Amino acid sequence: MVIGERPVVEEPRLAIRRQSSSLWSRRSFLVAFLPVLAAVLTGVTVLAVSGNILLPFERVVTLEGKMASKRDFFEDEEVQRLLMKHHIRVHITSSGSRDVAIGDISSYDFVFPSGQPAGDLITSQRAAKNQYVKVHRPFVSPIVLATYREYAETLQDEGIATAQRSSVQNQPLYYVLDMGKFLESIHQETRWEEIGIQNHGITNANRIVAQSPDVCGSNSAGTYLALVAFTRHGKGDEVPDSDQEADDRAREIKPLLEQGLPAADVFRTYISPEGKGIAPVVVAYEHQYLSYQVQYRAESKKLDSERVLLYPAGQFVTQPQFIALNRDGDRLGELITHDPELRQRAMELGFRILDPTGKVAGDQLARFLQQRQIPVPSMAGDNTRSSMPRLRFLERMISIVGDCPAAETSAGRPE
């Protein structure tokens, strides 16, 4: 607009923005932020309670191990959690115990063969080569024969097996097996139907036999071989003390041994729905069965009364050996042998943990089983423990029975 030739400048107009509601802005922020904060605080609390508050900032060491049945311990989620508190993760390569002993273990931090013979092979070989080796013995587990109720009751009818006393008197889970009579039935090629298996509701025309893993790779099969040899030879000079005697004993018992199932899968086959039809009697470790029953009761609120154990009247208590091949492996061995939480977990997995003197640590396993309402097997097996052959002679017997090469026991030569 122009008035009298002079321009009129309009005053600037200020736009005033209406202030947004601070209440709704704050509420939107809290809705988005509080769940994140809660998750962070929960995570911190869990880490603090478990003792792992600094774990994300500390180095975790992954150790390589090689073993057979004792992998159950390291594959347990609770064991893995406890080891992570010590910044250790374990990766397992599964292999039969004797395969562990005779194979290349140079890339591993530790090995964990299930019994003393395989452990002795490793320690003698490494000592002869001046290589790092340190042995820990955290727990033990005896050899058993796992079977099904119909078969155990049939053996009981024949006087071959006797039920142990337990809290489940009408359906006992544990039987004592007369190995002499059992092996004689195998020697005579007796069939299950000939001793009345049909009286217990099933049919089986096959010969009586205990199925074991391949003796060339498995400690349980090698231990069972030694038990068979001990039993068949009778009283007196029970174990061979010469190469010729070991060879003769092996040829004598070879027809009594049925083998071939993969070592890692024998017990898994037994607890599978098809197990009864594949192998009604298998060689196993006590801890495998006890751990299975604990888990079965926890999930189903009852026992698996169909599956039972046969304890040989004279038995070998296997001595698993954790063998550290370097200092990291030794640290892990110290933990599983002495850490209270890891020892407790081993017991919960069915192992008989050892005290510092190497003896079974009291009746902790019995108390644990009672708390879980699992019948307690007789713990008096040490009174009838059989003698293992010397490593040299056991290896000769294994090589003959399994048609496999005898392992070298030290510096490239037999013991």
Side-chain angles (χ1 to χ4, degrees), residues 9 52 73 106 135 184 231 263 270 310 312 354 371 390:
V9 179
N52 293 327
F73 177 77
S106 59
V135 177
E184 184 60 26
T231 304
Y270 166 70
L310 303 171
L354 301 178
Q371 291 169 358
R390 287 175 57 197

Side-chain angles (χ1 to χ4, degrees), residues 151-280:
Y151 290 91
E153 291 179 349
T154 300
L155 293 173
Q156 184 173 232
D157 293 343
E158 286 294 297
I160 299 174
T162 306
Q164 285 189 9
R165 291 184 178 182
S166 72
S167 60
V168 188
Q169 294 297 336
N170 58 332
Q171 287 192 319
L173 294 185
Y174 315 116
Y175 294 77
V176 177
L177 181 68
D178 186 321
M179 278 296 294
K181 293 180 180 180
F182 182 69
L183 293 176
E184 184 60 26
S185 297
I186 297 175
H187 177 67
Q188 296 294 333
E189 298 186 350
T190 305
R191 299 182 180 274
W192 287 107
E193 64 180 8
E194 295 174 358
I195 61 171
I197 188 68
Q198 61 275 10
N199 297 332
H200 296 277
I202 61 176
T203 59
N204 190 336
N206 294 325
R207 293 187 299 111
I208 296 174
V209 70
Q211 183 82 53
S212 78
D214 180 7
V215 73
C216 295
S218 166
N219 177 77
S220 62
T223 303
Y224 181 67
L225 177 155
L227 177 58
V228 171
F230 175 92
T231 304
R232 286 297 285 176
H233 195 259
K235 302 298 181 182
D237 184 18
E238 294 93 350
V239 295
D241 59 5
S242 69
D243 290 348
Q244 186 61 51
E245 191 173 345
D247 294 352
D248 292 342
R249 193 83 58 87
R251 295 187 183 97
E252 176 188 353
I253 66 172
K254 185 173 182 176
L256 305 178
L257 299 170
E258 184 77 15
Q259 51 182 309
L261 290 177
D265 295 332
V266 171
F267 192 78
R268 293 181 184 181
T269 298
Y270 166 70
I271 62 176
S272 71
E274 301 80 19
K276 188 184 296 187
I278 298 174

